[in-house]
Amino acid sequence: MTHVRRSPEEIAANRARYEEHQRKGLEFAPKALPGASPLPAPEIAPDKIVHREVIPGGWYWSTNIKKNETLRVSLDNGFSTISLVAWSAADTSERLNLPDTVKVQWTTALGQGRVIFSDMGRVMFSVTEDSSGVHDGLMGGSTSASNAAKYGEEKRNTRNNLILLATKAGLDKRDIPPALALFAPVRVDQDGAFLWKPELLRGGDYVELRAEMDMIVGFSNCPHPLDPDPVYRPNPVTVTRIAAIEPPADDLCRTATAEAVRGFENNALAAM
């Protein structure tokens, strides 16, 4: 393969174009998104609960969810990082796309007011509530190798859990997208190194994800590769499926960025 060496002038020009595009995108966005959702999480009316699942430490679970339903993922039993993947129920070749989610919103910080994109430019989830704002869309989950290096023995890991989950859904391991790690306080320093920042967690955290299309959603409850705890002890995580409510046209997630607006326009076109 021939590598093209770019001149310093070309690199500088490309960076200037990128920074101008970023500036315009950020100017469209609200000057301040909402702060962290209050703790403790408010009670959900019993008649609004479609299903509630407690995922044991080390295990996985999947569910089908309808458009405008909400998934509340909550740490009711102590800290744990839980990984999420998703596919469109109508066409499973459309799946979660974290690189685009980060790129088009100009941030790795996924919190209240942000959206999560598919690989077809459509919005899969809106983040409607979030008490922590610390979710990792960059590193992915654990593997057999990372667990062996960390714990010195084989432990249940996210990669194998997602393969099992996908197989039961009639999918192949090649269909598995990069996973979003919820409640993973990962930050990137100026040198590009990943850091684990547990002080960003508040205890008893929760996040609510509103579905913007019918989907298959999967979870794996295994420790994050950067979690410094030398003992493998993920706590159970509660996932509550909440009945659908039609959001208003001026919903924050639908209007926060130009890219989100375009994503919802793509959703509307696909529904025609």
Side-chain angles (χ1 to χ4, degrees), residues 90-152:
D91 179 2
T92 53
S93 68
E94 182 176 8
R95 63 202 67 169
L96 189 75
N97 188 307
L98 296 177
D100 282 357
T101 295
V102 168
K103 178 177 63 178
V104 304
Q105 294 177 107
W106 307 105
T107 181
T108 59
L110 298 178
Q112 187 179 1
R114 297 297 183 187
V115 298
I116 300 171
F117 284 91
S118 78
D119 56 3
M120 295 186 183
R122 299 202 295 157
V123 179
M124 301 192 88
F125 293 103
S126 292
V127 184
T128 55
E129 298 287 346
D130 186 4
S131 69
S132 72
V134 287
H135 312 297
D136 174 28
L138 299 177
M139 286 199 66
S142 59
T143 64
S144 295
S146 70
N147 275 359
K150 182 176 180 180
Y151 303 110

Side-chain angles (χ1 to χ4, degrees), residues 183-261:
F183 314 113
V186 175
R187 291 293 183 261
V188 182
D189 68 14
Q190 292 184 341
D191 297 322
F194 293 107
L195 305 175
W196 186 261
K197 307 281 285 185
E199 65 272 16
L200 299 176
L201 295 163
R202 300 169 66 194
D205 284 304
Y206 69 102
V207 62
E208 292 188 0
L209 305 172
R210 183 179 65 220
E212 302 297 352
M213 63 176 71
D214 294 355
M215 286 182 285
I216 303 167
V217 183
F219 296 92
S220 172
N221 184 10
C222 294
H224 190 277
L226 283 187
D227 187 336
D229 190 342
V231 180
Y232 185 95
R233 49 183 173 187
N235 288 304
V237 175
T238 304
V239 180
T240 305
R241 184 177 166 194
I242 304 171
I245 297 177
E246 184 72 28
D250 63 350
D251 178 79
L252 174 64
C253 295
R254 293 172 178 261
T255 58
T257 66
E259 289 77 11
V261 171

